[in-house]
Amino acid sequence: MKLSNFSFNLPEELLAEYPAPNRDESRLMVLNRKTKTIEHKMFKDLIDYFEEDDVLVTNNTKVFPARLFGNKEKTGARIEVFLLRELNSETRLWDVLVDPARKIRIGNKLYFGDDETLVAEVIDNTTSRGRTLRFLFDGSYEEFRNKLTELGETPLPKYIKREVEPEDADRYQTIFAKIEGAVAAPTAGLHFSKHLLKRLEIKGVNIAEVTLHVGLGTFSSVEVEDLSKHKMDSEEMSILQDSVDVINTGIKRKKRVCAVGTTAMRALESSVSSNHTLNAYTGWTNKFIFPPYDFSIANAMVTNFHTPKSTLLMMVSAFAGHDFIKEAYAEAIKEKYRFYTYGDAMLII
């Protein structure tokens, strides 16, 4: 499979700027891999495709307000700082992206907030836009993190051209969100409401949580035509034994085990035993899934509609079949499904 196999024309008006008014009332396209049929439903109809003892695997990562705006010393130029990951909590070192990057050099200082109590010094260049910052703040670590949360804003993806609104703080977070560490939401999970979750639980569907802290690398563009040469950024993940037991029981009973999102699927496929069951694991993954690929754990998945040439589209193509996904995406464009982060959903069974 080559990069060019994943190109298609996506009309700009289908990129969703806002989520559906209610989480579970986005549209749902259902793809049946066996019968090669496509159905058009509402997301809350998802419950009709699950039975007692089936398993939904959700990603419980929580997005932190990773986008800050500071001013450069002397010139006062406004600089966007996107927090990627904390390198050292004691010395307050962070990997970040800066924009515009050409203005930011080693030794520069950036000032944040009206009172400028938070300052950062640039101590290294990592990539063309990447920098390592040391934050200077007169207070405890907890106070420092609270300051970052206070000054940061919801890190909506760049394709959303509007300003961040108060509702985004809630809507760009899944109802499963517990463990802070992601700089982007696991978007398939955004469609689940508390009401739908309750109905699934009453029906006897088991929920198993995994953690994969979504980094911007998930959305990095693929620059090579030969997909085997693409390297994913590493992301931190954890699968605890309680979830392993629920998922492996589902596999043993030949139940539906459904990964909610590409991030949950990547986590599952990063910790497979030799007999195709799941192992507990805490560490990092840079797993890149593209066709052809044999999946070991999940036999169904929920996912959003992805942009051309994205690693997310490649994984979905590997799961559903490349030609079937091409057909489904052509149908989605014709039927004006909404794409990307705040867009509609797909269930592949």
Side-chain angles (χ1 to χ4, degrees), residues 69-89:
F69 292 94
N71 297 98
K72 190 178 165 188
E73 64 177 337
K74 295 179 184 159
T75 67
R78 188 174 193 250
I79 306 293
E80 179 187 314
V81 172
F82 196 102
L83 302 172
L84 290 178
R85 61 172 70 103
E86 186 175 51
L87 300 173
N88 187 310
S89 57

Side-chain angles (χ1 to χ4, degrees), residues 247-317:
I247 292 164
N248 284 343
T249 301
I251 293 170
K252 197 167 134 193
R253 291 178 175 170
K254 296 191 164 34
K255 289 294 186 178
R256 183 160 282 166
V257 177
C258 180
V260 177
T262 57
T263 58
M265 185 69 91
R266 281 182 64 225
L268 293 175
E269 290 297 316
S270 296
S271 190
V272 179
S273 72
S274 55
N275 60 353
H276 296 286
T277 55
L278 189 63
N279 286 332
Y281 175 71
T282 296
W284 295 78
T285 179
N286 62 353
K287 185 89 174 167
F288 175 34
I289 297 172
F290 59 94
Y293 183 88
D294 288 328
F295 290 81
S296 295
I297 307 296
N299 52 24
M301 82 180 290
V302 177
T303 188
N304 277 24
F305 288 91
H306 306 296
T307 50
K309 297 184 177 178
S310 61
T311 58
L312 311 172
L313 175 59
M314 290 164 196
M315 179 196 287
V316 172
S317 290

Side-chain angles (χ1 to χ4, degrees), residues 71-320:
N71 297 98
K72 190 178 165 188
E73 64 177 337
K74 295 179 184 159
T75 67
R78 188 174 193 250
I79 306 293
E80 179 187 314
V81 172
F82 196 102
L83 302 172
L84 290 178
R85 61 172 70 103
E86 186 175 51
L87 300 173
N88 187 310
S89 57
E90 280 179 43
T91 54
R92 297 177 186 171
L93 286 184
W94 282 74
D95 256 345
V96 305
L97 295 177
V98 292
D99 192 22
R102 59 188 156 64
K103 295 184 173 181
I104 303 302
R105 297 188 173 88
I106 294 172
N108 288 161
K109 282 201 169 84
L110 299 169
Y111 293 84
F112 301 90
D114 294 337
D115 57 1
E116 297 185 347
T117 51
L118 183 65
V119 182
E121 184 180 5
V122 183
I123 63 166
D124 198 9
N125 290 343
T126 51
T127 62
S128 60
R129 286 182 59 215
R131 302 289 184 272
T132 302
L133 298 188
R134 178 187 287 118
F135 281 98
L136 311 168
F137 179 75
D138 191 16
S140 67
Y141 179 71
E142 191 182 352
E143 288 167 329
F144 163 65
R145 289 303 298 246
N146 288 341
K147 183 54 100 172
L148 288 183
T149 301
E150 177 198 321
L151 293 173
E153 69 175 35
T154 303
L156 293 183
K158 286 282 194 188
Y159 86 86
I160 294 178
K161 300 290 187 272
R162 63 177 174 80
E163 291 292 308
V164 172
E165 297 175 15
E167 291 73 29
D168 290 311
D170 174 54
R171 292 303 302 272
Y172 195 60
Q173 204 78 269
T174 69
I175 60 166
F176 314 110
K178 284 181 191 162
I179 302 169
E180 193 170 84
V183 300
T187 54
L190 296 176
H191 304 282
F192 285 85
S193 63
K194 290 196 167 94
H195 179 62
L196 176 58
L197 197 60
K198 196 77 208 154
R199 288 174 63 214
L200 285 160
E201 283 172 2
I202 289 166
K203 200 168 184 178
V205 176
N206 295 312
I207 309 293
E209 295 184 348
V210 299
T211 307
L212 186 140
H213 292 314
V214 191
L216 282 187
T218 296
F219 309 104
S220 291
S221 54
V222 180
E223 307 289 352
V224 286
E225 180 66 6
D226 178 356
L227 298 184
S228 65
K229 303 262 192 311
H230 178 68
K231 295 282 183 286
M232 294 285 280
D233 284 359
S234 290
E235 292 167 316
E236 202 172 354
M237 63 163 280
S238 175
I239 304 175
L240 302 181
Q241 192 60 47
D242 287 358
S243 293
V244 168
D245 294 341
V246 171
I247 292 164
N248 284 343
T249 301
I251 293 170
K252 197 167 134 193
R253 291 178 175 170
K254 296 191 164 34
K255 289 294 186 178
R256 183 160 282 166
V257 177
C258 180
V260 177
T262 57
T263 58
M265 185 69 91
R266 281 182 64 225
L268 293 175
E269 290 297 316
S270 296
S271 190
V272 179
S273 72
S274 55
N275 60 353
H276 296 286
T277 55
L278 189 63
N279 286 332
Y281 175 71
T282 296
W284 295 78
T285 179
N286 62 353
K287 185 89 174 167
F288 175 34
I289 297 172
F290 59 94
Y293 183 88
D294 288 328
F295 290 81
S296 295
I297 307 296
N299 52 24
M301 82 180 290
V302 177
T303 188
N304 277 24
F305 288 91
H306 306 296
T307 50
K309 297 184 177 178
S310 61
T311 58
L312 311 172
L313 175 59
M314 290 164 196
M315 179 196 287
V316 172
S317 290
F319 190 74

Side-chain angles (χ1 to χ4, degrees), residues 13 18 38 250 311:
E13 68 269 17
Y18 288 92
I38 297 173
T311 58

